[in-house]
Amino acid sequence: MLASEYTEEARIVADDMAGESSGVVKRTGAHGPIAEHSGERNVAKAADRESEDTNETPHLDNAADSDMESDEELELNRMISNIGFGRYQRRVLALCGLGWTADNAWMQCTACILPRVQRHYGVSNSKIGLMSSSMFLGLMCGALVWGPVSDRFGRLIPYKWTLVVSATFGLLASASPSFPFLCVCLFGLGSGVGGNMPVDGAIFLEFIPREKRHLLTMLSVFFSVGSVVTSAVALALLPPFSCPDAGTCDVSTQNNGWRYLLVTMSLLTIVMVVLRNGWFRLYETPKFLLQNKRRADVVMVLKKVATFNGKKQARDAQQSPIMDGAESDEAHAWLEWPETDADCASQRTDAGRVPHGWMRSAMRRVHEAANIKSHVKLLRPLFAPGLRRTTILVWAIWGIVAMGFTMFN
């Protein structure tokens, strides 16, 4: 019901109570006097209407529940916009850009060493394509695996481990005793680095305001930097430590430039791991926490981000800036997000739950990660009637661009 109708009903009841002794009550509405009734009759009508309102309440509550998720999303976007784009967001851009750099750097590395590997192992032209195919197959599998893992277990797990996997298999590839072993290592390398683009892009988007999301294209600059870095290192290592194009040579001693390049790229990847995991602490993204109903953690993360950014200039005269210094309730009062009874009950349940042993917990995580149906269920919102066409178009554009880049690279 409208607010005016509620006000009118309250006025009716008040008039009824005041006029019960006289037996006559004058009912007034928004447009003036309406009718003259006896007090008992008006009280009965008010009771009937109150009963109707009570019956309508569950429907209103259901509608509110259905809109709660979108309301929470809007509230989170508002708070992230109030924080703005500061030091924390710039560091996230740089560190997520390292993941995109590693992605293209390793693809370029595979292309650079391919002729030297063919010479080293005497692989025919019909089979040398297995080397790059193994790398790209790993990239595809990595993107398919690390994305759902980040949706289920958090963004931090792929963020911390994708480059570790890449560096490990890169070092193993540099010591390959045979061509098949090298292809297996390149597949493992690709499966690690393949998760960087989807996961790092999601991390960056989930920490920045909506009006700054166009900066996602900045990650493509890091992608190109990876190719330039690898080409420069290859130019320095491959010519002096590779067999000449004409003549014979001992490949075991004179054709190890490709191994040196793999080792160098692995060491550079390890440096990226140290920068991402040691130099700067990344918090779990607010949108993942909200998706898992961890609203208290959302507020905590946003307060830490706001504190890291330092003093924030107000967007307009009605907003006060965030204070410098340590975290305080007054400085972040605008970030308060009241908890619902369901949140409090959930926290009490989690607090009273006995933790499982590490083996049982690990097996449970493995079982959840292997549950394909649950991962497919996460994609259903993308194909809702309002998003179906947009999802298909975006996927088609990305697929065509990626195919074109791969074909002409």
Side-chain angles (χ1 to χ4, degrees):
M1 298 178 67
L2 297 176
S4 60
E5 294 177 337
Y6 281 117
T7 305
E8 183 178 342
E9 292 296 337
R11 187 182 297 116
I12 292 172
V13 175
D15 292 340
D16 288 343
M17 294 176 63
E20 241 179 348
S21 59
S22 63
V24 177
V25 176
K26 184 176 182 179
R27 181 183 177 189
T28 57
H31 303 285
I34 297 178
E36 300 268 346
H37 299 283
S38 66
E40 294 179 356
R41 187 175 179 183
N42 275 336
V43 170
K45 286 187 176 182
D48 292 340
R49 285 180 182 148
E50 184 178 356
S51 176
E52 292 176 2
D53 294 341
T54 304
N55 294 333
E56 291 177 359
T57 301
H59 300 286
L60 295 175
D61 292 340
N62 292 335
D65 291 339
S66 63
D67 293 338
M68 182 174 296
E69 185 175 356
S70 59
D71 292 341
E72 289 180 343
E73 192 81 16
L74 292 174
E75 179 68 12
L76 177 59
N77 289 331
R78 181 192 66 81
M79 290 190 289
I80 293 177
S81 295
N82 286 339
I83 292 175
F85 193 90
R87 286 195 305 157
Y88 187 89
Q89 286 76 15
R90 286 193 291 269
R91 292 199 181 185
V92 171
L93 172 62
L95 295 177
C96 289
L98 292 181
W100 285 50
T101 299
D103 189 297
N104 199 28
W106 280 111
M107 286 195 294
Q108 184 71 12
C109 180
T110 304
C112 290
I113 67 174
L114 191 145
R116 276 74 181 180
V117 170
Q118 184 177 18
R119 178 76 177 271
H120 196 94
Y121 293 116
V123 183
S124 63
N125 292 332
S126 60
K127 295 182 179 179
I128 192 61
L130 293 174
M131 181 176 161
S132 56
S133 297
S134 300
M135 178 69 176
F136 285 110
L137 182 62
L139 289 170
M140 182 186 70
C141 293
L144 291 174
V145 171
W146 289 112
V149 167
S150 70
D151 290 335
R152 179 167 293 276
F153 302 112
R155 314 295 190 214
L156 293 182
I157 292 179
Y159 175 83
K160 293 179 177 179
W161 288 101
T162 50
L163 292 183
V164 173
V165 173
S166 303
T168 301
F169 279 101
L171 291 174
L172 290 175
S174 66
S176 299
S178 63
F179 181 72
F181 185 85
L182 176 62
C183 291
V184 172
C185 290
L186 290 178
F187 172 81
L189 192 158
S191 64
V193 78
N196 288 322
M197 290 187 67
V199 175
D200 292 352
I203 290 174
F204 179 64
L205 285 177
E206 292 176 3
F207 270 115
I208 63 175
R210 294 175 64 92
E211 58 270 18
K212 296 290 185 179
R213 290 183 179 177
H214 62 276
L215 294 177
L216 178 66
T217 56
M218 289 292 295
L219 291 176
S220 61
V221 176
F222 291 91
F223 190 77
S224 300
V225 168
S227 178
V228 174
V229 170
T230 303
S231 299
V233 176
L235 183 62
L237 294 178
L238 289 181
F241 298 103
S242 300
C243 289
D245 295 336
T248 60
C249 72
D250 184 6
V251 294
S252 60
T253 58
Q254 298 178 342
N255 194 54
N256 290 320
W258 65 274
R259 296 185 188 273
Y260 301 153
L261 180 58
L262 288 174
V263 171
T264 303
M265 296 307 302
S266 298
L267 294 177
L268 290 176
T269 305
I270 292 174
V271 172
M272 297 179 186
V273 172
V274 173
L275 291 175
R276 283 160 64 111
N277 298 341
W279 174 65
F280 178 75
R281 180 183 178 185
L282 182 74
Y283 303 113
E284 186 57 83
T285 63
K287 293 195 175 181
F288 173 80
L289 296 174
L290 180 63
Q291 180 185 357
N292 289 270
K293 310 301 180 184
R294 296 164 57 182
R295 296 172 62 182
D297 291 336
V298 171
V299 175
M300 180 186 67
V301 168
L302 292 179
K303 287 182 177 180
K304 290 181 178 180
V305 172
T307 301
F308 186 88
N309 283 347
K311 186 174 182 179
K312 171 184 171 295
Q313 299 299 326
R315 292 183 180 275
D316 51 56
Q318 297 179 353
Q319 294 178 335
S320 60
I322 296 177
M323 298 169 58
D324 283 328
E327 205 173 288
S328 66
D329 294 337
E330 294 181 359
H332 300 116
W334 59 279
L335 272 174
E336 292 302 325
W337 196 343
E339 295 182 353
T340 62
D341 295 337
D343 296 330
C344 296
S346 176
Q347 291 180 3
R348 289 194 297 268
T349 302
D350 294 338
R353 185 179 298 163
V354 178
H356 299 289
W358 68 271
M359 180 63 73
R360 184 181 299 178
S361 177
M363 293 300 296
R364 178 176 57 83
R365 285 181 173 270
V366 171
H367 176 72
E368 291 177 353
N371 190 352
I372 304 299
K373 291 184 178 180
S374 63
H375 295 309
V376 174
K377 187 183 297 185
L378 294 175
L379 299 177
R380 289 180 181 177
L382 296 176
F383 292 93
L387 292 176
R388 186 181 299 122
R389 181 167 58 179
T390 301
T391 299
I392 294 174
L393 289 175
V394 170
W395 284 14
I397 291 171
W398 270 91
I400 294 172
V401 170
M403 183 173 62
F405 174 82
T406 305
M407 291 174 62
F408 292 98
N409 187 22

